[in-house]
Amino acid sequence: MSPSGLLSTRGLTRRFGGIRAVDGLDLDVEAGSITGLIGPNGAGKSTAFHLVAGLLRPDAGEIWFDGRRIDGLPAHERARRGLVRSFQVPRELAALSVLDNLLVAAPARRGERLLPAIVSLGRVLAEEAPHRRRAEAILELTGLASHADAPAGRLSGGQKKLLELARTLMAGPRLALLDEPGAGVNPALMARIVETIRARNQEGTTFLVIEHDMDLVMSLCHRVIVMAEGRVIAAGTPDEVQRDPLVLDAYLGGPA
Amino acid sequence: MLEYAIAIVTFTAIYAVVALGLNLQWGETGLVNLGQVGFMAIGAYTSALLALAGWPFWFAIPAAAAAAGASSVLLVAVTPRLREDYLAIVTLGFSEAIRLVLLNEAWIGGGARGLVDLPQPLRGVVPDGAYTAAYAALTVAALAVTGWVFSRITRAPIGRLLRAVREDEVVPQAVGKSVLRLKAQAFVLGAAAAGLGGSLYVHYLRYIAPEMFTAQVSVFVLVAVLAAGGGSHARTVLGAVVVAVILEGTRFLKDYLPGIDGVQLAALRLMVIGAALVALCLWRPEAMARREAP
C-alpha cells in the first residue's frame, strides 16, 4: 500500500563506507505544503535530496511520489513526473543566457526531438512562444528580468541562487526540492525568494526546503521535519518542533 | 590551375562536412571526440564495398553515413558516463582499432593493399571533361545539406539542450531531460557526417586503404573546429577551409621552394598544422576546454 503523502520515503538508507548518511529515513511531505527539512550539519539532508531526486541510489528503502514507487526511475524521469530539485551550490549554465537557462527547463515538447527540429523548424520555434512568455514571467517574479539576455555566468552569487529557484519553477514541478535557497543571499534577494516560494505555493506547488536560517524556516514553513544522524527525530508545526527537547539536544550536541 | 582549384574545393568541402560533425559533438554538446577518422573509415569502407558490389550511389552514400552513425551508438552505449579526457582516449582508441582491423582483416577491404578502381557517382552521367567539377559540386551540396540540417538542430530547442549538456549535464537531467539520449543524438549525427565525408573522399580518389585513416586526420579536423572556436557552423566551415588550404593548397609550393622535395613538403605541412594546434592551445585555451571545472 502506498503512503499518503505527495512524497514519502520508507526505510531509506544510504551508506558511504562505514557511515550511514541516511539511515532508515521515513519522510512524508503533504501535498500543497511548504515543508522545511532542518537538522544539524551532517544530518543527511542533502544526501536525502540526492536519493529522492535520483542522483544517488539508495542501499535500501522505498521512495513514493504521488502514490507510485519511483526509486527505480532515473533522475530525469522523476523530474518529468514533477519532482524537481534545485542545487545548494548554483549550477547555472554559464555560457547560456539567463532566459535560455530557464527555457532548458521547459516541459518536453516537439522541438526537443530531432525530426521536428529539422523538418518544421518554423513551427517548432513558434511553439516556443508560450514557454518564452512563461519564462519571462518567472524572471519577472524572481527579479531577474533585466538580466534575461545576459550570460548566466555573469550573475552575482545571490542572483544565481534566484536563477536556481527560477529554473526549478520553470520545470513546472508538483514538488520542488529546494536545497538552501537562501544561503549566502542578501536580505533583499532573500525577501524575493520567500515571496516567490509563497506565490508559487498558493498556486499549488508543494515545496520541501532544506534551510539553516531558522527565522526563515519558522516564518515560511507549514510543517518542519527535523533530521539527525540520517533519520527523522521530530516533525510537526514550527512551534511544536521548536519546543521538542530532542531537537534541542540534536542542535546543542546533547547525548545521542 | 582550374583543375587544382576544383580539387581544393572538393577537399575543403569534405573536410568541412567532417568538421561540422565534430563541431556538433564537441563545440555544441561538449563531447570530446578524437576518433572522427574512425567514423570516416567506417563510412568510406561501407560505400566502397557497396559500390563495388554494384549498389547504386543513392543507396551507398547514405548507407555510409548510416553505418558510421550506427557504429557510434555502440561507443555511446559503452561510455555513457565518460566525459572529457576519458572520452578522448576511448574515441582515439576506437579509431585506431578500426584502422587496425581494416589493416589486418584483409577479407574486408584488401588489408594494407586496399581497394582500387572504386566506382564514382555521376560517372557517365556528366561528360568526362566536367567530371571533377561535378564531383566538387556534389561535395559542396553534401556540405550544404549537412550545414542546413545541423544549423536547424542548433536553432531548435534541442540545440539549446545540447548546449546545456555541454555546460553542465546535471542541469538538463535535473529538469527532466534524458542526457544519454541527447549525447547519443549528437554523437550519431556527428559520426554520420564523418561517414559521409569519408565516403565522398574515397570515391573522389577512387582508392581506399587503411593508411588513409590514421589519427592524424582526426587532428586535422580537430584543428579546423578549434580554429573556429567551437559552436558556430559557419566559422567551422571557415576553419576547414584554412586546414584544407594548408594541407592541399601548399602542394604547388615545391615548385617555388628550391631544395624542398615532395616528401619534405609533406612533413612541412604537418609541422604547420602542429604549430597551428600549439598556437590555438596558447591563444585560445578556452576553445580547448570551455567549461569551468565542476
Side-chain angles (χ1 to χ4, degrees):
Chain A
M1 206 194 80
S2 66
S4 63
L6 177 61
L7 172 75
S8 296
T9 68
R10 290 294 175 264
L12 200 60
T13 300
R14 170 74 196 208
R15 297 177 207 91
F16 294 110
I19 299 162
R20 289 165 179 268
V22 170
D23 187 11
L25 183 70
D26 296 337
L27 209 62
D28 287 288
V29 177
E30 300 304 322
S33 70
I34 301 176
T35 302
L37 182 60
I38 65 170
N41 284 326
K45 306 181 297 290
S46 282
T47 304
F49 260 33
H50 285 318
L51 292 169
V52 167
L55 265 66
L56 279 176
R57 295 208 163 276
D59 294 316
E62 301 175 357
I63 305 168
W64 295 80
F65 182 63
D66 195 24
R68 300 172 91 170
R69 268 193 79 167
I70 59 161
D71 33 298
L73 296 177
H76 73 271
E77 285 291 346
R78 301 185 198 189
R80 203 163 271 207
R81 275 153 216 247
L83 184 63
V84 184
R85 63 161 304 167
S86 75
F87 294 92
Q88 186 183 348
V89 178
R91 304 190 77 127
E92 77 285 358
L93 307 167
L96 272 58
S97 72
V98 169
L99 183 65
D100 273 353
N101 266 262
L102 261 63
L103 286 170
V104 161
R109 51 211 190 276
R110 286 186 337 130
E112 292 179 4
R113 298 205 312 271
L114 281 178
L115 212 55
I118 297 167
V119 259
S120 53
L121 180 65
R123 203 149 18 115
V124 152
L125 290 179
E127 287 167 6
E128 281 281 274
H131 298 291
R132 207 167 274 271
R133 278 197 297 277
R134 209 161 66 78
E136 281 160 357
I138 291 173
L139 288 179
E140 202 68 53
L141 185 67
T142 49
L144 292 170
S146 59
H147 304 282
D149 298 322
R154 288 222 208 108
L155 294 179
S156 74
Q159 288 168 335
K160 286 177 184 174
K161 296 291 278 191
L162 280 164
L163 180 61
E164 275 292 316
L165 177 62
R167 187 183 64 220
T168 306
L169 296 179
M170 184 69 197
R174 301 181 57 204
L175 172 60
L177 305 168
L178 306 182
D179 196 344
E180 299 196 28
V185 170
N186 74 45
L189 291 182
M190 190 67 229
R192 186 66 95 158
I193 288 173
V194 169
E195 201 180 303
T196 306
I197 294 173
R198 283 218 178 96
R200 273 320 183 91
N201 179 247
Q202 304 255 295
E203 290 165 21
T205 307
T206 306
F207 286 87
L208 178 63
V209 186
I210 295 180
E211 189 49 71
H212 279 297
D213 182 337
M214 281 306 134
D215 292 338
L216 174 64
V217 170
M218 297 308 158
S219 67
L220 181 67
C221 299
H222 309 129
R223 279 186 84 247
V224 176
I225 298 170
V226 188
M227 275 183 78
E229 291 172 2
R231 52 181 91 200
V232 174
I233 58 163
T237 65
D239 271 351
E240 289 167 358
V241 163
Q242 256 176 328
R243 288 194 302 266
D244 194 314
L246 273 174
V247 176
L248 294 175
D249 269 357
Y251 269 94
L252 299 174
Chain B
M1 195 61 207
L2 181 64
E3 275 305 303
Y4 186 59
I6 290 172
I8 288 187
V9 168
T10 307
F11 280 121
T12 300
I14 291 171
Y15 270 112
V17 167
V18 180
L20 281 178
L22 181 62
N23 183 52
L24 189 73
Q25 297 166 336
W26 194 349
E28 291 290 327
T29 318
L31 297 165
V32 179
N33 174 10
L34 295 186
Q36 194 67 328
V37 72
F39 301 113
M40 286 177 75
I42 289 170
Y45 273 87
T46 301
S47 75
L49 292 169
L50 285 173
L52 283 171
W55 290 87
F57 278 98
W58 61 259
F59 176 75
I61 293 178
S71 69
S72 77
V73 175
L74 294 177
L75 206 59
V76 173
V78 298
T79 61
R81 295 190 168 277
L82 290 191
R83 295 201 59 165
E84 308 271 310
D85 34 3
Y86 295 103
L87 193 53
I89 293 166
V90 171
T91 49
L92 183 62
F94 169 80
S95 71
E96 277 297 282
I98 295 288
R99 186 178 66 82
L100 291 172
V101 166
L102 292 169
L103 189 64
N104 291 298
E105 299 295 324
W107 57 270
I108 301 175
R113 278 181 298 120
L115 303 167
V116 292
D117 293 332
L118 298 184
Q120 291 188 298
L122 306 175
R123 195 51 104 173
V125 180
V126 289
D128 279 1
Y131 185 74
T132 53
Y135 201 93
L138 179 68
T139 58
V140 170
L143 172 59
V145 170
T146 308
W148 182 79
V149 168
F150 285 5
S151 71
R152 283 173 86 88
I153 290 169
T154 52
R155 282 164 61 202
I158 187 173
R160 193 187 291 121
L161 291 182
L162 295 181
R163 291 188 287 283
V165 170
R166 178 190 73 200
E167 295 294 311
D168 183 351
E169 65 180 71
V170 173
V171 170
Q173 184 191 34
V175 292
K177 315 302 175 188
S178 170
V179 170
L180 187 59
R181 181 185 70 106
L182 291 163
K183 284 184 176 180
Q185 287 173 329
F187 223 95
V188 167
L189 286 169
L196 173 63
S199 160
L200 291 171
Y201 189 60
V202 294
H203 289 294
Y204 177 66
L205 298 176
R206 308 201 64 185
Y207 160 72
I208 189 169
E211 64 176 16
M212 299 156 83
F213 303 102
T214 55
Q216 160 184 126
V217 179
S218 292
V219 175
F220 298 156
V221 177
L222 177 73
V223 171
V225 173
L226 284 180
S232 155
H233 304 295
R235 278 193 315 205
T236 300
V237 172
L238 207 62
V241 172
V242 172
V243 169
V245 166
I246 293 174
L247 286 176
E248 307 296 337
T250 48
R251 293 192 190 284
F252 71 92
L253 277 180
K254 70 171 183 287
D255 301 333
Y256 299 95
L257 291 176
I260 287 194
D261 61 28
V263 176
Q264 286 168 323
L265 187 64
L268 199 60
R269 273 197 291 272
L270 285 184
M271 287 166 67
V272 171
I273 291 284
L277 186 56
V278 172
L280 285 169
C281 292
L282 287 174
W283 290 322
R284 305 186 62 122
E286 73 282 2
M288 294 289 283
R290 299 196 305 162
R291 276 169 310 281
E292 294 163 36

